[in-house]
Amino acid sequence: MPDQNLVTKKSMELKQFQSSFAEERKKEALAVFKSIPMPKEKDEDWRYTDIGKLRLESFEPFESEGKISVSGFSEYLAEKGVILTDINTALQKYPVAQQYFLKSMKIGGDKFAALNAAYFGNGFFLHVPKNIEIDEPIKLNFEVSGKSSILHNMIIAESNSKVNFIEEYTGKENANGQLNSSVTEVFANADSKINFYHINNWAKNAYSFANIVGNLDRNSNVNWISGCFGGRLNRLKIDTIFSGNGASCSNLGIFMGKEKEHVDFATNMFHNAENTTNDVLVDGILKDESSSVYRGLIKIEKQAQKTNSYLANHILKLGDKTLANSIPSLKIDANDVKASHGATVGQINEEHLFYLMARGLSRAEAEKLIVEGFFEPIIQKIPLEELREKIRGMVGG
């Protein structure tokens, strides 16, 4: 079987190349997928998101079309034992990939998670050995060209390792619409550190369902940085599972809706161990007739004493036809913890607009300036300058 290692190829076509291990798991997942009904807006996890017009059968046979390109990965890293390859090669060749595959991702309760497990065509696999620190970011760009892309990705950072990773998704306009499903499983073993960046910028008639699941072991640290742009429906769910004492996490998210786009953004924090810390900040802006829902959950189990967890969400509406919903929630079974949340949804201040327009700016220029000012504090928190500039360009575009 050919080894489609991204070290040498630098890019990889998204075609249906599969391993025997993957095929067996897909058969199991297909039965689950067929048994789960399509979600309805009355379901708790889908409140304020209506997918009644989505017909999955119109995107069959779910063949992933496009290309994965990679940068920042060198022969030096390969010599150090770092593995970066496609998910099917990994599942066929490396026992560690089989060991971790779907370890944290529960497919039984979500139609689209089961869809991904049953039909994924490709994806990437990154394995960082223990004690290896990678300072320069590794970047993978997924350019989707067909009517569907079903991708499953995995990152495993062994103990005391460090990695900066960027996954970026873009899609070309497709006359008949586009369905995108991605699952990225991230495993931070003891004392490891991962800075994980997710950015998507979809065509206007795309449906996107992205799930990121992180499992944090003892004293590990994961920083999520994400940006959602474009798409008819752009749904991003980030689940963080604190499995080891002393694990910590921060979560910065930005989204923007325009025209009739709908953004569905969720961050779920599951504190299962002592002395874990978490800080979530998700900010969004809505324009035209766009809509959004943000769900933020902090769940602290009885054994997770001395947890410190916080989440905040701020949404700015530009125009009376926008619709924003914010649903933060706390579920706490421990008694020695600190946990809180805050959420604000507000209209743009007309006095601020008037002030700027009185100094010679058009209304569009004044709104653009306010949008940039609204996002800038969170953009300043992004560690990578390259990503700060990219997101500024998306926000200002």
Side-chain angles (χ1 to χ4, degrees):
M1 182 169 294
D3 187 347
Q4 301 185 36
N5 199 306
L6 299 181
V7 178
T8 55
K9 294 196 73 170
K10 299 300 182 186
S11 67
M12 178 180 63
E13 295 296 318
L14 300 180
K15 296 274 177 78
Q16 300 286 3
F17 162 72
Q18 281 133 15
S19 69
S20 55
F21 178 89
E23 283 303 296
E24 287 301 312
R25 298 304 177 272
K26 285 182 177 182
K27 289 178 184 177
E28 298 167 4
L30 182 59
V32 176
F33 168 71
K34 290 181 176 179
S35 70
I36 301 175
M38 284 287 283
K40 295 180 172 58
E41 194 173 358
K42 67 180 181 180
D43 298 340
E44 187 62 31
D45 287 345
W46 291 85
R47 283 176 62 195
Y48 306 113
T49 294
D50 181 10
I51 58 170
K53 295 181 180 179
L54 174 60
R55 298 289 179 264
L56 289 180
E57 60 272 15
S58 66
F59 298 99
E60 291 178 347
F62 303 122
E63 292 182 346
S64 300
E65 298 178 45
K67 183 177 70 174
I68 304 175
S69 57
V70 61
S71 62
F73 192 79
S74 64
E75 295 291 350
Y76 171 78
L77 293 178
E79 291 170 0
K80 290 288 187 181
V82 181
I83 300 169
L84 178 59
T85 189
D86 69 282
I87 188 66
N88 288 297
T89 295
L91 290 174
Q92 189 72 3
K93 187 175 180 180
Y94 301 110
V96 68
Q98 298 179 10
Q99 175 189 346
Y100 279 88
F101 182 67
L102 289 179
K103 187 177 179 180
S104 294
M105 190 71 198
K106 297 179 181 179
I107 66 172
D110 185 282
K111 182 74 169 178
F112 291 93
L115 166 74
N116 188 282
Y119 289 104
F120 74 91
N122 221 309
F124 72 84
F125 173 79
L126 174 64
H127 181 256
V128 185
K130 64 180 182 179
N131 301 322
I132 297 296
E133 294 192 3
I134 306 174
D135 292 318
E136 290 299 314
I138 297 173
K139 179 179 177 181
L140 266 69
N141 181 276
F142 299 79
E143 185 178 339
V144 180
S145 56
K147 68 177 182 179
S148 66
S149 65
I150 316 294
L151 305 170
H152 192 103
N153 311 309
M154 291 176 66
I155 295 177
I156 303 170
E158 298 291 0
S159 60
N160 202 40
S161 65
K162 176 184 175 184
V163 64
N164 293 285
F165 185 85
I166 304 168
E167 62 170 17
E168 184 173 355
Y169 296 82
T170 58
K172 295 181 180 179
E173 192 75 34
N174 192 298
N176 297 316
Q178 193 176 77
L179 174 70
N180 303 289
S181 167
S182 68
V183 167
T184 303
E185 296 184 90
V186 178
F187 298 93
N189 285 297
D191 300 296
S192 64
K193 181 173 182 178
I194 302 173
N195 291 325
F196 183 95
Y197 302 81
H198 169 97
I199 297 178
N200 63 60
N201 190 11
W202 295 113
K204 64 180 180 180
N205 62 347
Y207 289 91
S208 174
F209 302 88
N211 282 20
I212 301 170
V213 184
N215 196 308
L216 282 59
D217 203 351
R218 175 178 49 83
N219 293 332
S220 64
N221 172 249
V222 174
N223 299 308
W224 309 112
I225 300 96
S226 53
C228 290
F229 301 89
R232 185 181 212 174
L233 166 60
N234 193 334
R235 179 177 167 98
L236 173 62
K237 184 170 73 165
I238 303 175
D239 293 336
T240 307
I241 304 166
F242 297 84
S243 300
N245 293 354
S248 61
C249 173
S250 71
N251 197 325
L252 297 175
I254 287 178
F255 67 82
M256 176 177 282
K258 58 184 185 301
E259 298 179 1
K260 294 186 177 182
E261 296 169 353
H262 179 72
V263 182
D264 183 322
F265 201 125
T267 60
N268 299 310
M269 302 292 161
F270 301 99
H271 294 271
N272 301 323
E274 282 191 358
N275 198 33
T276 55
T277 58
N278 159 66
D279 190 7
V280 178
L281 174 60
V282 176
D283 286 351
I285 283 183
L286 301 177
K287 298 180 178 181
D288 307 318
E289 298 178 51
S290 61
S291 57
S292 72
V293 55
Y294 168 73
R295 301 179 190 85
L297 169 66
I298 295 174
K299 191 172 191 304
I300 304 176
E301 299 295 343
K302 186 176 182 179
Q303 70 273 19
Q305 301 292 352
K306 303 186 186 307
T307 287
N308 190 344
S309 195
Y310 177 73
L311 70 85
N313 171 231
H314 310 292
I315 302 174
L316 180 63
K317 301 170 58 181
L318 276 65
D320 295 331
K321 295 183 179 181
T322 57
L323 178 62
N325 298 280
S326 187
I327 313 173
S329 59
L330 304 176
K331 296 181 180 180
I332 303 173
D333 292 326
N335 55 20
D336 184 12
V337 300
K338 294 179 181 178
S340 59
H341 60 67
T344 62
V345 177
Q347 292 274 39
I348 194 168
N349 192 314
E350 288 293 330
E351 290 184 2
H352 293 169
L353 281 174
F354 178 80
Y355 176 86
L356 293 171
M357 292 167 66
R359 278 148 182 79
L361 297 180
S362 67
R363 185 179 181 90
E365 290 170 333
E367 285 187 355
K368 183 174 182 292
L369 200 61
I370 290 174
V371 166
E372 291 172 349
F374 177 81
F375 278 137
E376 190 58 27
I378 195 170
I379 290 175
Q380 286 288 345
K381 295 177 182 289
I382 297 173
L384 290 181
E385 175 62 26
E386 172 192 353
L387 268 295
R388 290 198 293 269
E389 289 304 314
K390 179 180 281 288
I391 290 178
R392 284 190 185 107
M394 290 178 168
V395 167

